């Protein structure tokens, strides 16, 4: 036994020796940084800020690139971790007491869950709010204000927004076939029948998204809510005052079904809608010859298009026309809200940076993101498609946020997705589906 | 072993004291060193492994020495505490406490702050989605378990002492090496469905077979009710190998003289199977059955990966996961977890009892 103890002591002392040496080196580095008095970021240099969110693949790369210059300037290392199952994994981390410093929520409703439980840090108390308020229009600030256990707090910052009311098409083939971009609902209907008459399928639609299957359907329902009824009704619907089982909401869902379930209208037919991944769905538009012609989705979808597609040359989009001219030109938007979970100087600095247009500049230039910041410039939009999206949002008579993302998690990320999927595949009737969603609304 | 430790001569007090001091020094010293090694990750890892494992061993050694130095009467209790105590403590901390806490939360609202009485349990037993989950779990239990066990038994009996026993047993056992999530991904391709219409090419294996025989491609995972069986089949594919291997080893333990005697008495294959083989290996069959039963009760991965609980394939574990982690409703999720626990406990108890009667545990 004594031998074993002796060996232990030897190992420990040698380890101590080695680590003492390495410590000296680290100290040297630190002191070198301290010596440079011109460096305003000396205090945070080398610090790590962890961040997690749902960006994966292309989006993750674009995000990493857009924050690179900030990392180089300040020496803060923003470690980003993306997950397709973000909605579920973030709850495990937060409630397990191990939240990332910053989390990116694509759904304000989900963030609201954590605000209610008091996990989220109030930005009013931690950031320079004058700068923040000067850089956003009021409606974004309103949407970031949520009620916690101790009253209203500023729960997050809008970093990247999407325009949703967009219909994408294969520009070359579209022009070659002699189709015209519809500007009214009637023209859209004519285009649909023209494509069918030509022996083709008008729409490419897919709503499969793993455990989040169905969200793409809820977008369509929201679009139709904006196009068949008043904005007041939309707001009431989102807040739970207007039931799903009301004539207005039923009419909106029916309007989606009229297109989706019609014979020959969707590539693969009604059943394939639920088995086709939302990201794969638009790909068939770019086959030779195109297998489908139209795809309605937010501007982020260009990240899922086949490689080497040139905006405005290979693909383009048009605004999904309004059904009822008296309802104006409503635009559905969505976005990412960044919330703060740990309060440290370097995290504050990163959050303050996210409140500026510079934080998304790289992403905007790379395409696929629209900046909500006032200090961002239209000239950043290198491809005309993104600039046009920004214009669509500017030209809108009204803008409304993605309804399912604002509803409570049990509906917005639960029954709304699930019941709509069941309705699409015919497992439930419209009647059963809307009643089930209403029943799941938290009381 | 234990009696050896108890009956050893008493260790001297001074020796124990020195040992305790050394242990403390190594425990605290190592911890301090670990803090200083933050910059050198590799060294830190290596040290943490050596120090961690070493200190655990040292701690046991020291505690045992303390126990040995106690008067003979207290020694047997002390030795038991030294060796079983930490395990019991960890079990209490990681199993009993969370269970109690979950039970506590099941009486509170979504945020876990307002008492709501039995409301969450009313939800767990009346909500349509929960009823659907109960029905599906029942399907998994009945059809999943019985198919696994019956197939496993048949293969084990029919394959016993056949020419290529090793080869086909390995083949059937192989899926066991695949995780449930991995299996889900594989079978997603088998059941893939692309739809009907112009320019559609099916890529799914099952649809390829169906269309080759002139049938029409089917969206297998979307057919209500029957899609449950397509999912259950994946578990059968994964678990039959397990049932087969265990049952097969029990069959090989049947004395050959028994079979020979039966044959001399004129029994045919069927009689031998029902009158000798099955009764002889009954305890094994029961153990295998209860194990797979528990498995199918808490089934989660396959459903999560293949359908996400959509199209009427939801199961209890998936609904629990959704409630807690997607909808953020701690109260309802806790109630579901407790219900699942209550359902599993009798099966678990029966399983343990069976083990005990076979003198595996005593």
């Amino acid at each position: 036994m004594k031998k074993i103890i002796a060996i232990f002591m030897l190992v420990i002392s040698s380890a101590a020796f080695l680590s003492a040496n390495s410590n000296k080196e680290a100290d040297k580095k630190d002191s070198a940084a301290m010596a440079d008095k011109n460096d305003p970021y000396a205090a945070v240099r080398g610090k790590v800020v962890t961040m997690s969110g749902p960006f994966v693949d292309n989006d993750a790369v674009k995000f990493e690139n857009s924050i690179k210059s900030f990392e180089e300037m300040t020496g803060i290392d923003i470690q980003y971790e993306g997950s397709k199952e973000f909605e579920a994994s973030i709850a495990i981390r937060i409630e397990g007491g191990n939240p990332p410093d910053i989390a990116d929520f694509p759904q304000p409703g989900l963030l609201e869950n954590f605000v209610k439980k008091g996990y989220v840090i109030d930005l009013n108390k931690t950031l320079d709010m004058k700068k923040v308020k000067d850089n956003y229009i009021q409606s974004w600030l309103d949407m970031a204000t949520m009620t916690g256990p101790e009253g209203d707090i500023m729960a997050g910052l809008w970093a990247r927004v999407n325009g949703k009311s967009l219909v994408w098409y294969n520009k070359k083939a579209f022009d070659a076939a002699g189709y015209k971009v519809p500007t009214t609902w009637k023209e859209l209907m004519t285009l649909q029948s023209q494509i069918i008459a030509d022996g083709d399928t008008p729409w490419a639609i897919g709503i499969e998204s793993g455990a989040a299957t169905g969200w793409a359907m809820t977008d369509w329902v929201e679009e139709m809510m904006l196009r068949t009824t008043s904005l007041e009704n939309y707001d009431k619907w989102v807040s739970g005052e207007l039931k799903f089982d009301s004539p207005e909401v039923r009419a909106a869902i029916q309007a989606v079904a009229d297109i989706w379930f019609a014979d020959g209208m969707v590539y693969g037919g009604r059943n394939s809608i639920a088995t086709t991944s939302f990201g794969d769905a638009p790909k068939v538009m770019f086959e030779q010859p195109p297998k489908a012609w139209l795809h309605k989705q937010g501007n982020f979808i260009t990240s899922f298009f086949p490689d080497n597609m040139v905006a405005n040359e290979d693909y383009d989009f048009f605004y999904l026309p309004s059904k009822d001219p008296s309802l104006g030109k409503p635009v559905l938007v969505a976005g990412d809200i960044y919330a703060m979970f740990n309060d440290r100087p370097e995290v504050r600095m990163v959050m303050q940076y996210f409140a500026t247009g510079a934080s998304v500049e790289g992403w905007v230039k790379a395409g696929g993101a629209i900046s909500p910041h006032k200090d961002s410039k239209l000239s950043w939009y290198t491809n005309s498609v993104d600039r046009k999206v920004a214009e669509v949002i500017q030209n809108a008579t009204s803008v409304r946020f993605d309804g399912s993302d604002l509803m409570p998690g049990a509906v917005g990320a639960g029954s709304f997705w699930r019941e709509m999927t069941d309705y699409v595949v015919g497992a439930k009737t419209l009647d059963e589906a809307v009643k089930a969603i209403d029943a799941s609304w938290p009381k | 072993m234990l009696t050896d430790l108890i009956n050893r001569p008493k260790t001297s007090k001074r020796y124990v004291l020195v040992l305790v001091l050394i242990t403390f020094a190594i425990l605290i010293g190592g911890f301090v060193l670990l803090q200083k090694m933050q910059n050198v990750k590799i060294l830190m890892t290596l040290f943490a492994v050596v120090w961690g494992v070493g200190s655990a061993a040292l701690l046991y050694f020291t505690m045992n020495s303390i126990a040995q130095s106690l008067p003979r009467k207290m020694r047997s209790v002390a030795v038991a505490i030294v060796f079983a105590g930490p395990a019991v403590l960890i079990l209490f901390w990681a199993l009993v406490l969370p269970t109690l806490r979950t039970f506590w939360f099941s009486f509170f609202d979504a945020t876990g702050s307002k008492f709501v009485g039995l409301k969450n349990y009313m939800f767990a037993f009346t909500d349509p989605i929960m009823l659907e989950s109960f029905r599906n779990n029942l399907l998994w239990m009945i059809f999943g378990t019985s198919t696994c066990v019956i197939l496993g038994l048949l293969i084990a009996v029919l394959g016993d002492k056949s020419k290529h026993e090793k080869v086909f047993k390995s083949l059937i056992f192989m899926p066991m090496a695949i995780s449930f999530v991995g299996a889900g991904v594989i079978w997603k391709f088998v059941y893939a469905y692309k739809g009907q219409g112009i320019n559609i090419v099916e890529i799914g294996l099952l649809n390829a077979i169906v269309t080759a025989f002139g049938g029409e491609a089917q969206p297998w995972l979307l057919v209500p009710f029957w899609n449950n069986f397509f999912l259950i089949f994946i578990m059968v594919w994964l678990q039959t190998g397990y049932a087969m291997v265990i049952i097969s080893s029990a069959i090989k333990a049947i004395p050959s003289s028994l079979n020979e005697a039966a044959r001399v008495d004129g029994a045919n294959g069927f009689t031998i199977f029902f009158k000798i083989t099955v009764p002889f290996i009954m305890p094994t069959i029961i153990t295998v059955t209860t194990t797979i039963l528990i498995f199918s009760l808490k089934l989660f991965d396959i459903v999560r990966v293949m359908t996400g609980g959509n199209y009427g394939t939801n199961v209890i574990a998936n609904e629990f996961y959704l409630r807690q982690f997607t909808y953020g409703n701690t109260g309802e999720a806790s109630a579901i977890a407790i219900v699942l626990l209550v359902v599993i406990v009798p099966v678990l108890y029966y399983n343990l009892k069976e083990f005990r009667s076979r003198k595996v545990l005593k």
Side-chain angles (χ1 to χ4, degrees):
Chain A
M1 194 60 212
K2 271 178 193 155
K3 249 188 206 165
I4 296 176
I5 293 171
I7 290 169
F8 257 108
M9 292 313 232
L10 198 70
V11 168
I12 287 162
S13 56
S14 56
F17 178 73
L18 281 170
S19 72
N21 264 3
S22 61
N23 254 14
K24 256 182 222 157
E25 262 168 47
D27 285 349
K28 250 186 236 162
K29 257 189 225 157
D30 277 354
S31 60
M34 295 294 254
D36 188 0
K37 280 184 186 133
N38 298 326
D39 184 0
Y41 303 110
V44 293
R45 205 161 279 282
K47 294 277 167 59
V48 171
V49 172
T50 58
M51 186 168 169
S52 62
F55 312 140
V56 290
D57 305 334
N58 255 344
D59 278 348
V61 174
K62 284 176 181 175
F63 173 76
E64 302 263 7
N65 286 339
S66 71
I67 53 169
K68 205 168 259 172
S69 62
F70 173 77
E71 289 184 307
E72 276 162 12
M73 182 172 72
T74 59
I76 297 175
D77 179 13
I78 303 175
Q79 290 182 353
Y80 174 77
E81 184 196 338
S83 159
K84 272 190 173 174
E85 288 258 338
F86 171 78
E87 284 92 0
S89 65
I90 189 65
I92 301 172
R93 293 195 58 179
I94 292 173
E95 296 189 0
N98 178 32
D101 296 327
I102 299 169
D104 161 25
F105 291 89
Q107 303 150 347
L110 186 62
L111 172 59
E112 206 159 11
N113 281 345
F114 303 116
V115 175
K116 263 187 215 148
K117 293 186 184 178
Y119 288 113
V120 181
I121 288 170
D122 185 1
L123 300 184
N124 281 323
K125 292 178 186 153
T126 47
L127 298 190
D128 180 350
M129 280 316 280
K130 201 192 152 330
K131 276 189 192 165
V132 173
K133 283 183 175 149
D134 284 349
N135 208 20
Y136 287 96
I137 58 168
Q138 190 57 38
S139 59
W140 290 116
L141 295 170
D142 291 344
M143 282 194 279
T145 305
M146 298 175 185
T147 311
E150 283 150 29
D152 282 358
I153 67 164
M154 180 66 69
L157 296 170
W158 293 98
R160 179 188 76 140
V161 296
N162 282 312
K164 288 215 169 193
S165 310
L166 315 170
V167 181
W168 301 87
Y169 60 91
N170 178 338
K171 193 171 184 339
K172 275 182 188 157
F174 201 81
D175 291 344
Y179 296 139
K180 270 200 214 96
V181 167
T183 53
T184 64
W185 189 258
K186 214 176 146 203
E187 282 176 24
L188 179 65
M189 294 298 119
T190 320
L191 176 63
Q192 281 180 177
S193 24
Q194 198 182 345
I195 294 171
I196 295 178
D198 290 348
D200 263 337
T201 316
W203 290 95
I205 299 171
I207 63 169
E208 196 274 341
S209 178
T213 297
W215 66 261
M217 166 82 176
T218 64
D219 278 9
W220 273 81
V221 175
E222 288 147 16
E223 299 279 10
M224 290 306 162
M225 275 301 286
L226 289 174
R227 281 166 180 74
T228 55
T229 184
S230 65
L231 290 174
E232 290 74 44
N233 278 340
Y234 183 89
D235 293 339
K236 276 191 197 163
W237 173 57
V238 168
S239 64
E241 287 168 58
L242 186 70
K243 290 208 171 302
F244 276 78
D245 190 9
S246 65
E248 291 85 358
V249 182
R250 277 168 174 265
I253 301 174
Q254 194 56 52
V256 180
D258 286 344
I259 295 179
W260 286 27
F261 301 166
D263 247 3
M265 197 68 92
V266 176
Y267 177 75
R270 180 173 173 176
N271 277 331
S272 79
I273 292 175
T275 56
T276 306
S277 144
F278 78 93
D280 287 340
K283 288 185 176 135
V284 294
M285 295 196 302
F286 300 103
E287 284 181 33
Q288 295 284 355
K291 289 180 174 169
W293 292 85
L294 307 167
H295 181 72
K296 191 208 84 65
Q297 192 54 277
N299 53 291
F300 70 89
I301 197 69
T302 53
S303 294
F304 290 88
F305 284 174
D307 292 339
N308 307 322
M309 286 279 149
V310 184
N312 213 18
E313 222 173 273
D314 293 311
Y315 64 86
D316 201 353
F317 73 89
F318 58 83
Y319 166 74
L320 179 70
S322 186
K323 233 182 152 174
D324 178 351
S326 73
L327 295 171
K329 286 180 102 183
V331 172
L332 190 69
V333 295
D336 290 278
I337 183 167
Y338 293 174
M340 185 172 165
F341 289 92
N342 292 313
D343 187 12
R344 295 197 309 275
E346 60 270 23
V347 184
R348 288 185 184 199
M349 199 174 279
V350 173
M351 284 299 280
Q352 196 75 53
Y353 173 67
F354 282 143
T356 65
S359 65
V360 287
E361 186 182 343
W363 202 338
V364 168
K365 283 180 176 162
I370 309 292
S371 160
H373 310 92
K374 276 191 198 164
D375 66 347
S376 57
K377 297 187 179 65
L378 266 182
S379 62
W380 289 349
Y381 298 97
T382 48
N383 73 55
S384 53
V385 165
D386 283 354
R387 196 179 307 138
K388 262 169 73 186
V389 176
E391 274 169 17
V392 164
I393 296 176
Q394 275 173 11
N395 290 340
T397 55
S398 56
V399 173
R400 277 299 178 273
F401 200 85
D402 186 312
S404 63
D405 290 350
L406 291 172
M407 291 173 186
V411 179
S415 57
F416 194 4
W417 292 350
R418 172 149 65 190
E419 300 300 328
M420 282 299 107
T421 307
D422 280 354
Y423 172 53
V424 169
V425 303
K428 277 195 179 152
T429 64
L430 179 57
D431 204 46
E432 289 169 334
V434 290
K435 286 196 169 116
I437 300 174
D438 282 332
S440 73
W441 198 287
K443 277 127 214 153
Chain B
M1 167 76 182
L2 205 59
T3 44
D4 282 357
L5 285 171
I6 293 163
N7 295 329
R8 258 164 53 171
K10 206 168 147 183
T11 25
S12 85
K13 283 241 167 73
R14 189 178 293 165
Y15 171 72
V16 170
L17 196 70
V18 172
L19 204 60
V20 168
L21 285 177
I22 291 174
T23 312
F24 261 106
I26 288 180
L27 282 180
I28 295 167
F31 192 71
V32 172
L33 277 177
L34 208 59
Q35 298 287 312
K36 286 193 174 165
M37 275 186 233
Q38 301 285 354
N39 296 313
V40 207
K41 290 266 152 70
I42 297 174
L43 189 69
M44 191 174 127
T45 316
L46 284 174
F47 177 76
V49 171
V50 174
W51 171 71
V53 175
S55 342
L58 190 66
L59 208 59
Y60 263 108
F61 181 76
T62 314
M63 302 258 284
N64 185 41
S65 302
I66 298 173
Q68 299 299 335
S69 70
L70 294 172
R72 193 172 284 267
K73 264 190 195 165
M74 292 161 68
R75 225 186 267 177
S76 63
V77 181
V79 168
I81 289 175
V82 166
F83 283 92
V88 171
L89 265 184
I90 289 172
L91 210 64
F92 182 78
W93 179 68
L95 197 73
V96 179
L97 270 187
T99 309
L100 292 176
R101 200 163 164 266
T102 307
F103 187 63
W104 173 257
F105 273 134
S106 68
F107 296 106
F108 287 81
D109 72 341
T111 57
S113 54
K114 213 178 94 206
F115 185 78
V116 293
L118 288 173
K119 201 177 136 229
N120 291 324
Y121 286 95
M122 296 216 328
F123 150 81
F125 286 111
T126 56
D127 194 86
I129 205 77
M130 283 305 293
L131 295 180
E132 180 194 300
S133 306
F134 278 123
R135 182 203 70 188
N136 292 343
N137 264 107
L138 209 63
L139 291 179
W140 281 87
M141 283 165 66
I142 297 170
F143 293 99
T145 310
S146 59
T147 317
C148 280
V149 175
I150 292 171
L151 266 183
L153 178 65
L154 280 181
I155 296 167
V157 170
L158 295 177
D160 196 37
K161 286 169 196 147
S162 82
K163 222 178 182 183
H164 302 291
E165 195 183 346
K166 264 187 196 150
V167 178
F168 76 78
K169 265 193 187 167
S170 312
L171 281 176
I172 293 169
F173 192 66
M174 214 141 28
M176 277 286 285
I178 298 169
S179 72
F180 271 37
V181 174
V185 173
I186 294 171
W187 283 84
K188 231 178 173 171
F189 285 107
V190 176
Y191 294 142
Y193 172 74
K194 285 283 160 192
Q196 8 172 252
I198 315 145
N199 303 323
I200 300 268
V201 183
E202 286 296 342
I203 59 157
L205 178 67
L206 197 54
N207 274 329
I209 295 171
V210 169
T211 46
F213 283 100
E216 206 172 295
Q218 295 292 322
W220 303 102
L221 293 175
L222 304 185
V223 192
F225 189 70
W226 298 108
N227 47 10
N228 281 302
F229 292 94
F230 293 118
L231 296 182
I232 290 171
F233 186 79
I234 303 170
M235 191 183 85
V236 172
W237 180 69
L238 283 173
Q239 290 293 311
T240 301
Y242 163 75
M244 176 199 71
V245 167
I246 307 280
I247 292 172
S248 181
S249 73
I251 288 175
K252 298 216 183 290
I254 300 175
S256 52
S257 54
L258 210 58
N259 282 336
E260 277 161 28
R263 260 182 222 290
V264 170
D265 286 347
N268 62 13
F270 278 101
T271 328
I272 292 179
F273 177 73
F274 285 111
K275 294 269 164 74
I276 294 175
T277 313
V278 171
F280 197 88
I281 62 169
M282 207 55 202
T284 309
I285 292 179
I286 289 171
T287 315
V288 169
T289 309
T290 45
T291 308
I292 299 180
L293 211 56
I294 294 169
F295 228 78
S296 50
L297 259 169
K298 53 181 195 183
L299 181 109
F300 169 73
D301 327 43
I302 292 178
V303 170
R304 182 87 188 158
V305 174
M306 302 283 288
T307 64
N310 285 315
Y311 331 124
T313 58
N314 212 1
V315 286
I316 302 175
N318 185 54
E319 190 56 28
F320 150 73
Y321 184 86
L322 281 174
R323 294 280 152 185
Q324 174 67 44
F325 299 119
T326 308
Y327 311 164
N329 195 327
T330 312
E332 287 175 358
S334 305
I336 297 175
I338 293 294
V339 169
L340 193 56
L341 180 77
V342 169
V343 177
I344 286 184
V345 160
V347 187
L348 207 59
Y349 173 76
Y350 187 71
N351 196 343
L352 284 176
K353 209 179 94 184
E354 204 48 45
F355 262 123
R356 197 170 297 147
S357 67
R358 292 170 62 208
K359 306 248 185 328
V360 176
L361 298 168
K362 201 189 151 201

Short mmCIF file of all heavy atoms in Angstrom, two decimals, chain B residues 6 21 31 40 43 64 66 83 130 206 220 250 262 269 324 341 346:
data_model
loop_
_atom_site.label_atom_id
_atom_site.label_comp_id
_atom_site.label_asym_id
_atom_site.label_seq_id
_atom_site.Cartn_x
_atom_site.Cartn_y
_atom_site.Cartn_z
N ILE B 6 -14.24 -8.57 8.48
CA ILE B 6 -14.70 -8.33 9.85
C ILE B 6 -13.80 -9.01 10.88
O ILE B 6 -13.51 -8.46 11.94
CB ILE B 6 -16.17 -8.78 10.00
CG1 ILE B 6 -17.06 -7.87 9.16
CG2 ILE B 6 -16.61 -8.76 11.46
CD1 ILE B 6 -18.42 -8.44 8.90
N LEU B 21 -4.87 11.51 7.39
CA LEU B 21 -4.20 12.77 7.04
C LEU B 21 -3.72 12.75 5.59
O LEU B 21 -3.93 13.70 4.83
CB LEU B 21 -3.02 13.01 7.99
CG LEU B 21 -3.44 13.47 9.39
CD1 LEU B 21 -2.21 13.63 10.29
CD2 LEU B 21 -4.22 14.77 9.33
N PHE B 31 -7.44 18.69 -5.61
CA PHE B 31 -8.47 19.62 -6.02
C PHE B 31 -7.88 20.99 -6.33
O PHE B 31 -8.20 21.61 -7.34
CB PHE B 31 -9.51 19.74 -4.90
CG PHE B 31 -10.75 20.45 -5.33
CD1 PHE B 31 -11.63 19.83 -6.20
CD2 PHE B 31 -11.02 21.73 -4.89
CE1 PHE B 31 -12.77 20.49 -6.61
CE2 PHE B 31 -12.16 22.39 -5.30
CZ PHE B 31 -13.04 21.76 -6.16
N VAL B 40 -4.26 24.02 -19.27
CA VAL B 40 -3.73 22.88 -20.01
C VAL B 40 -4.75 21.76 -19.94
O VAL B 40 -4.76 20.96 -19.02
CB VAL B 40 -2.39 22.39 -19.43
CG1 VAL B 40 -1.57 21.72 -20.51
CG2 VAL B 40 -1.63 23.54 -18.82
N LEU B 43 -3.55 17.88 -19.82
CA LEU B 43 -2.95 17.52 -18.54
C LEU B 43 -4.04 17.43 -17.47
O LEU B 43 -4.08 16.51 -16.66
CB LEU B 43 -1.92 18.58 -18.15
CG LEU B 43 -1.07 18.23 -16.94
CD1 LEU B 43 -0.14 17.09 -17.27
CD2 LEU B 43 -0.27 19.45 -16.47
N ASN B 64 -12.19 1.89 5.11
CA ASN B 64 -12.15 0.50 5.58
C ASN B 64 -11.21 0.36 6.77
O ASN B 64 -11.52 -0.33 7.74
CB ASN B 64 -11.73 -0.42 4.44
CG ASN B 64 -11.80 -1.88 4.84
OD1 ASN B 64 -12.75 -2.28 5.51
ND2 ASN B 64 -10.80 -2.63 4.46
N ILE B 66 -10.51 2.66 8.92
CA ILE B 66 -11.19 3.23 10.08
C ILE B 66 -12.16 2.20 10.65
O ILE B 66 -12.20 1.95 11.87
CB ILE B 66 -11.98 4.51 9.70
CG1 ILE B 66 -11.01 5.58 9.20
CG2 ILE B 66 -12.78 5.03 10.90
CD1 ILE B 66 -11.69 6.81 8.64
N PHE B 83 -18.89 0.07 2.47
CA PHE B 83 -18.96 -0.46 1.10
C PHE B 83 -20.29 -0.20 0.41
O PHE B 83 -20.32 0.04 -0.78
CB PHE B 83 -18.63 -1.95 1.10
CG PHE B 83 -17.16 -2.19 1.23
CD1 PHE B 83 -16.57 -2.37 2.47
CD2 PHE B 83 -16.35 -2.15 0.10
CE1 PHE B 83 -15.21 -2.54 2.59
CE2 PHE B 83 -14.99 -2.33 0.21
CZ PHE B 83 -14.40 -2.52 1.46
N MET B 130 -53.68 11.81 -24.22
CA MET B 130 -53.18 10.83 -23.26
C MET B 130 -53.86 9.48 -23.47
O MET B 130 -53.22 8.43 -23.40
CB MET B 130 -53.41 11.31 -21.83
CG MET B 130 -52.44 12.37 -21.35
SD MET B 130 -50.72 11.88 -21.50
CE MET B 130 -50.65 10.55 -20.32
N LEU B 206 -40.03 -0.58 -48.94
CA LEU B 206 -41.33 -1.25 -48.86
C LEU B 206 -42.20 -0.89 -50.06
O LEU B 206 -42.84 -1.75 -50.66
CB LEU B 206 -42.01 -0.84 -47.55
CG LEU B 206 -43.17 -1.72 -47.08
CD1 LEU B 206 -42.75 -3.16 -47.01
CD2 LEU B 206 -43.64 -1.25 -45.72
N TRP B 220 -46.91 4.70 -45.53
CA TRP B 220 -47.04 3.75 -44.44
C TRP B 220 -47.20 4.39 -43.07
O TRP B 220 -48.01 3.95 -42.26
CB TRP B 220 -45.82 2.81 -44.41
CG TRP B 220 -45.66 2.10 -45.70
CD1 TRP B 220 -44.77 2.40 -46.70
CD2 TRP B 220 -46.44 1.01 -46.19
NE1 TRP B 220 -44.95 1.56 -47.77
CE2 TRP B 220 -45.96 0.69 -47.48
CE3 TRP B 220 -47.50 0.26 -45.67
CZ2 TRP B 220 -46.50 -0.34 -48.25
CZ3 TRP B 220 -48.03 -0.76 -46.43
CH2 TRP B 220 -47.54 -1.04 -47.70
N ALA B 250 -31.08 -21.05 -22.30
CA ALA B 250 -31.87 -21.85 -21.36
C ALA B 250 -32.16 -23.22 -21.97
O ALA B 250 -32.13 -24.24 -21.27
CB ALA B 250 -33.16 -21.13 -21.02
N ALA B 262 -37.91 -38.90 -23.13
CA ALA B 262 -39.21 -38.61 -23.71
C ALA B 262 -39.36 -39.31 -25.05
O ALA B 262 -40.41 -39.87 -25.37
CB ALA B 262 -39.37 -37.11 -23.87
N GLY B 269 -42.08 -34.36 -31.60
CA GLY B 269 -41.49 -33.03 -31.44
C GLY B 269 -42.40 -32.06 -30.70
O GLY B 269 -41.96 -31.35 -29.79
N GLN B 324 -42.97 18.55 -20.92
CA GLN B 324 -41.92 19.17 -20.11
C GLN B 324 -41.04 20.09 -20.93
O GLN B 324 -40.81 21.22 -20.57
CB GLN B 324 -41.06 18.08 -19.46
CG GLN B 324 -39.86 18.63 -18.70
CD GLN B 324 -40.25 19.42 -17.47
OE1 GLN B 324 -41.12 19.03 -16.70
NE2 GLN B 324 -39.62 20.56 -17.28
N LEU B 341 -44.50 5.67 -14.01
CA LEU B 341 -43.79 4.96 -12.94
C LEU B 341 -44.72 3.94 -12.27
O LEU B 341 -44.35 2.77 -12.08
CB LEU B 341 -43.27 5.96 -11.91
CG LEU B 341 -42.50 5.36 -10.74
CD1 LEU B 341 -41.10 5.01 -11.19
CD2 LEU B 341 -42.44 6.32 -9.57
N PRO B 346 -45.40 -2.53 -10.97
CA PRO B 346 -45.81 -3.93 -10.79
C PRO B 346 -45.01 -4.89 -11.68
O PRO B 346 -44.61 -5.97 -11.23
CB PRO B 346 -47.29 -3.93 -11.20
CG PRO B 346 -47.72 -2.52 -11.17
CD PRO B 346 -46.52 -1.68 -11.38
#
